[in-house]
Amino acid sequence: MKLKIAIQKSGRLHEDSMALLNQCGIRLRSGTGKLKAEADNFPVEVFFLRDDDIPQYVEDAVADVGIVGENVLYEKNKKVKVVQKLGFGKCRLSIAYPKDRPVQTLKDLNGKRIATSYPYVLGKFLKQQKIKAEIHEISGSVEIAPGIGLADAICDLVSSGSTLLTNGLKEGDVVLRSEAILVANPKLNAQKQEIVNKLVFRIKALQEAQCNKYILLNAPDAKLERICEILPGMKSPTILPLAKKGWSSVHSVVNENKFWDIIEQLKAEGAQGILVVPIEKMII
Ligand code: ATP
Ligand code: ZN
C-alpha cells in the first residue's frame, strides 16, 4: 500500500515541497513521465499537479494527501482535513487600492468593483465586514485590473509587496494569512493513516529542529549551578569535565526565540568558547 501525495508541479511551492520530502528522508526515483515519482525507501508516490487542482484531487481520493497553500484550500472549499502547517509559502491575501484615486479604504468599496482570483474567500470577508461590492473574477494578472479600468481595487496575494508597488497599488486590509499546509482525504484507511502519521512525525522533528540550536560552552566549575539555571535543555544540560582542572563543558538545546538573551546571560556568568550548532532532526 502506498500513500499518494500531490504536490505542485512547478511554481512557488514546488521546491519547498520537494525539499520537505527530501528532509523527511524520502528518496524519490524519477519515473518515466513527469507526472509522478515513487520513493524507494518510504511507501509513497508523488503526483505533480497544478496547485488549484490539489484540493479536488484530495477530496476525490485521487490523491490521499496534498501540499497546498491555505489560500487555495479555502477558496476551493473542498472536504479535506488539515493535517499540518508546513511553515513555507507564506503570503497574505490582501485588498489593494490604486494610489491617487478616491477609493482608499474598505468603506469606500461599497458599490465598487474588486478584481480577484479569490471570489469565494473575498465574498465571505466582504459579507463579514458588511461591504456590498461587486466581485469581478479574473484568473491572472489581477494587479493590472485597475489600470485598465476593470476595477476600483483588487484582492490578491502579496508577500513582499513589490508587485503592488510597481503597479501603483497600496496594500489595505489583509483578508487571509496563508502558508503551505498538508491536507488529507478525511476517509483514509488505517494503513494509509499510519503512513501519514509517520510522515507527520518526521515533519514535526524537522520543525522542532529548525527552531532550536545545540549549544556547547566552557565554564568554571564554580559557575555551573548558575549556568544550568539559565540553560533550559531538553531535560537538563549535559556536563562533562574538561582536561583543564576546575572547568567543565556544558551542552544544551536552546530555542531560537530566547537564544540571544540566553547567550548574553551565559557570558555574564563567565561562560567561554560558546559554540552554536544547527540541529538536523529533533525528537522530543
Ligand atoms: P499553478 O501552475 O500550480 O497553478 P500558480 O501560478 O497558481 O501555479 P504560484 O504563483 O506558483 O501558483 O503560487 C503557488 C502558491 O504559493 C500560492 O497559492 C500561495 O499559496 C503561495 N505564495 C507564496 N507567496 C506568494 C506570492 N507572493 N504570490 C503568489 N503566491 C504566493
Ligand atoms: Zn495555481
Side-chain angles (χ1 to χ4, degrees):
M1 175 93 44
K2 286 192 175 188
L3 187 78
K4 289 176 277 182
I5 306 180
I7 70 168
Q8 194 188 23
K9 184 177 165 71
S10 65
R12 285 187 158 95
L13 299 180
H14 176 79
E15 294 289 323
D16 286 334
S17 303
M18 291 295 277
L20 179 75
L21 297 178
N22 189 285
Q23 286 161 358
C24 286
I26 299 171
R27 300 275 164 265
L28 294 179
R29 220 181 323 131
S30 48
T32 41
K34 285 237 158 78
L35 204 68
K36 65 176 192 173
E38 284 187 39
D40 293 323
N41 58 353
F42 199 70
V44 294
E45 56 188 334
V46 178
F47 287 76
F48 302 107
L49 301 165
R50 282 200 60 199
D51 66 344
D52 313 66
D53 299 333
I54 292 176
Q56 182 75 62
Y57 279 124
V58 174
E59 182 183 281
D60 294 344
V62 176
D64 301 307
V65 299
I67 295 176
V68 72
E70 289 173 289
N71 52 313
V72 171
L73 178 70
Y74 297 136
E75 179 62 29
K76 301 292 175 191
N77 196 25
K78 300 291 173 198
K79 288 189 198 67
V80 300
K81 203 168 85 179
V82 174
V83 180
Q84 180 74 32
K85 292 208 180 212
L86 300 175
F88 59 84
K90 285 191 179 170
C91 57
R92 50 197 189 274
L93 183 66
S94 291
I95 299 179
Y97 307 91
K99 289 176 191 150
D100 324 317
R101 292 232 199 129
V103 177
Q104 288 295 320
T105 65
L106 208 53
K107 285 197 197 81
D108 302 335
L109 285 172
N110 273 308
K112 302 290 187 215
R113 293 161 308 163
I114 315 174
T116 188
S117 311
Y118 295 86
Y120 179 74
V121 173
L122 176 61
K124 266 184 37 177
F125 176 79
L126 292 178
K127 202 169 167 197
Q128 242 172 34
Q129 302 289 327
K130 302 192 168 54
I131 303 289
K132 287 208 162 66
E134 186 190 320
I135 297 175
H136 199 100
E137 183 178 355
I138 44 180
S139 58
S141 304
V142 174
E143 66 282 356
I144 65 164
I148 58 171
L150 201 67
D152 303 289
I154 66 161
C155 174
D156 203 9
L157 294 179
V158 185
S159 48
S160 70
S162 59
T163 310
L164 293 185
L165 209 65
T166 46
N167 286 283
L169 298 162
K170 201 177 85 196
E171 188 176 356
D173 290 76
V174 175
V175 174
L176 177 77
R177 289 189 190 278
S178 173
E179 67 182 83
I181 46 171
L182 183 72
V183 295
N185 180 283
K187 292 186 195 134
L188 292 182
N189 67 33
Q191 262 176 309
K192 285 188 172 177
Q193 187 57 51
E194 188 55 35
I195 306 171
V196 175
N197 294 349
K198 277 190 186 166
L199 185 63
V200 171
F201 179 81
R202 294 183 186 193
I203 293 171
K204 283 188 175 157
L206 285 174
Q207 290 177 341
E208 215 43 70
Q210 274 157 10
C211 59
N212 285 284
K213 300 275 181 237
Y214 192 78
I215 162 165
L216 305 92
L217 59 88
N218 296 329
D221 289 344
K223 294 284 188 174
L224 282 179
E225 203 177 326
R226 182 67 198 109
I227 282 178
C228 289
E229 280 169 19
I230 299 168
L231 281 173
M234 285 175 79
K235 263 207 172 56
S236 74
T238 307
I239 300 177
L240 302 165
L242 289 188
K244 186 178 163 82
K245 231 181 161 6
W247 282 77
S248 295
S249 167
V250 183
H251 301 198
S252 190
V253 172
V254 175
N255 189 286
E256 207 163 39
N257 296 328
K258 302 183 205 138
F259 180 74
W260 289 110
D261 204 31
I262 287 178
I263 296 280
E264 275 163 27
Q265 291 181 47
L266 291 170
K267 277 197 70 172
E269 290 297 336
Q272 295 180 4
I274 304 174
L275 295 182
V276 180
V277 186
I279 301 172
E280 193 179 289
K281 312 271 190 310
M282 183 164 156
I283 291 108
I284 21 181

